[in-house]
Amino acid sequence: MSNYKMHILVCGGTGCKSANSDKIVDNLNEQLKINNMDQEVKVLKTGCFGFCEKGPVVKIEPDNTFYVQVQPEDAEEIVKEHIVKGRKVERLLYEDPETEEKVSNSKHMDFYKKQMRIALRNCGFIDPSNIEEYIARDGYHALGKVLTEMTPKEVINVVKESGLRGRGGGGFPTGLKWEFASRYEADQKYVVCNADEGDPGAFMDRSILEGDPHSIVEAMSICGYSIGATKGKVYIRAEYPLAIKRLQKAIDDAREAGLLGTDIMGTGFEFDIELTYGAGAFVCGEETALIHSMEGLRGEPTTKPPFPAESGYWGKPTNVNNVETFANIPVIILKGANWFNKIGTEKSKGTKVFALAGKINNVGLIEVPMGTTLREVIYDIGGGIKNGKKFKAVQTGGPSGGCLTEKDLDTPIDFDNLIAKGSMMGSGGMIVMDEDNCMPAVAKFYLEFTEEESCGKCTPCRIGTKRLAELLELITTGKGTMEHLDELKRLSRVIKDTALCGLGQTAPNPVLSTLDIFWDEYVAHVKDKTCPAGNCKKLLKYYIQEDKCIGCTACSRVCPANAISGTVKHPHTIDQEKCIKCGACMDKCKFGAIIKK
Amino acid sequence: MAKIKSFEELKKIKEKVQSNVELREKGENIDKLVQVKVAMATCGIASGAREVMNFIIDDLAKQGIKNVVVTQTGCMGYCYAEPTIEVTMPNSEPVVYGNVTIDRAKEVIEKHIKNGELIDGIIPVTHKTIE
């Protein structure tokens, strides 16, 4: 029995760490020592709590107090007030934006109320660098169970019956994938974990690896047992240094504890895991490209079949799953297929982790049961749109996905519903846009991304995405014509039909989806040469409203182009010829007299 | 960590280390557990609240009672009756006991926490906790 009477959990995810959470840990420890409480209170650095918007987050247990936006210098007050005297530090509590009431228990916060954490069960709860903490949460018990009580076939059946589908984006039934890999005979088979998270705005895989790396080690071992593989590889992008560090430590610790290596738990089972670093190429998330990259070749995809289950890494049967998919496995084994498949919708079981980003109040990492509606995610959990602006669209599925609008908000989120609505689940990036977002510009952003990420192997993707990006550039700078819009459509279709792999085939999706829903906005750009969202710089004009201008001359003094003229105490005007649209005048005006349209 | 040679051994390690995360697991389910809050402002500490709190935590552990969360809180305002503790059974209103000595704390555990019986020493509640 430990002597600790309280635990202080400090978020050690990449987001909070970059906001100096390490220093908070140091200061807390120092203050505890000063107050002679270091034997009674334990400070732990955990993975991501998910509530990144208000990080760094500090949680105190067992009274479940949730402090937000904590600074290193707050450590003294937290220890003196909360730890020594038991008084909550009011100013650090989360304030509900609607009721303006302070909420101390995270369970009562809207952000957490509708969540259900399976893949993220240990994120923000345990110290990811301590194997004992994982074991204390039944860690490696699922592995022990399969090795001592189940045949490989039984394991595959449980995964099949659970209804788990691949969380990397494709949504392929995981159990079926394992079954395929198990059928092929070979002297060597491989289990690969795809940790090459490339969607803009997505960070769920990184957070799982940072917050609960042992769950991936355990799940890969279980997979290895079921398909008859003895080697595991994690393909992880090199730009995830913290995830790499924690995962490597987990692998080393597991090996030392005999949970990886030979004769695991005395059962004769052998399995080990190595990391392979990716250079951060979007296409390498596709399994055939990923395997080529691991073999030291260019990360280019090849046609399937043959599927990796038959001929994968070095031509051997290989099973590739995404990080989040693996994170679900130990729980499914321990709690059973029935427990899992009761959660979610008819064809999409369990939960899904989403990375909420964009113009939303609560940017962060969330996990909800499949079937939760977009409205619940955006308004209840995400706290609605920032600065009281109007919701315009939500982009799901990254560059391969599409936009959903107001009319789709009550759609229960699952693999099939999102596809039916013209978007997709993807890996779970969810970027929320408001009235200030220009949709042709959004499409341009994604196209520039795919253009850069194209491997260049096939012409439709290499040249097609470049041309699409060029057309969008013309449109957003006021040089577009109606013919350009037709060309945009035609070219998108051609690329979709002819590109070699998923990257190219889906690259035009952001264009097609926005063209379809926001046609008027495209037309306004080419016909009226205006940007209705007030976003495209080249199409904007700045005006001074006469009735609001008091003639303070502040604007004319900051204008770098000398485009503003007028006399003191009289309304000024902007010379549109000279104006370079830098917006300096608008920032400077204290009277809101300058508008752009 | 030494090599784990069997599933049984892993289970034994779990039993040994699960207390590491127990406090946190309790915190996650705090609404379903018995909560004991010990007032630990200056007045409380001066009258021995810390000793009372430590006693309660140790005694519960000794008896293996796991459905109780003991936390500290600030001044409840009953400085004349320190040490004070507030006991909340799941789904019921909190009860505040005043002048809690070690003996009285023992009685609270035996009668109130284990059997749900109210005992002498209750201070009529004149305050409300705002969540």
Side-chain angles (χ1 to χ4, degrees), chain A residues 529-548:
Chain A
K529 307 289 175 204
T530 58
C531 174
N535 174 81
C536 296
K537 226 173 162 185
K538 288 259 164 66
L539 299 178
L540 290 177
K541 280 186 179 149
Y542 286 84
Y543 298 97
I544 296 177
Q545 292 176 290
E546 260 187 44
D547 53 330
K548 285 193 182 159

Side-chain angles (χ1 to χ4, degrees), chain B residues 54-67:
Chain B
N54 287 340
F55 169 77
I56 295 174
I57 290 174
D58 294 341
D59 196 53
L60 289 170
K62 221 182 282 163
Q63 298 199 45
I65 303 171
K66 301 215 158 172
N67 65 330

Side-chain angles (χ1 to χ4, degrees), chain A residues 5 7 59 61-62 64 83-87 104 107-108 125 133 135 137-138 140 256-257 265-266, chain B residues 1 4-7 10 14 17 20 23-25 27-28 30-31 40 54 57 69 71-74 131:
Chain A
K5 295 182 174 72
H7 288 175
K59 199 169 173 182
E61 298 281 24
N64 206 331
I83 307 298
V84 178
K85 294 181 189 155
R87 282 196 292 237
S104 72
K107 283 245 156 119
H108 303 163
F125 189 88
E133 294 240 317
I135 292 173
R137 294 274 281 175
D138 289 327
Y140 293 105
E256 201 191 312
M265 289 191 239
Chain B
M1 187 188 272
I4 298 170
K5 294 194 190 70
S6 67
F7 189 19
L10 176 74
K14 192 222 146 142
V17 296
N20 291 359
L23 272 181
R24 276 169 268 161
E25 277 175 346
E28 290 299 309
I30 200 162
D31 295 342
M40 204 81 97
N54 287 340
I57 290 174
V69 176
T71 58
Q72 37 181 344
T73 184
E131 244 325 318

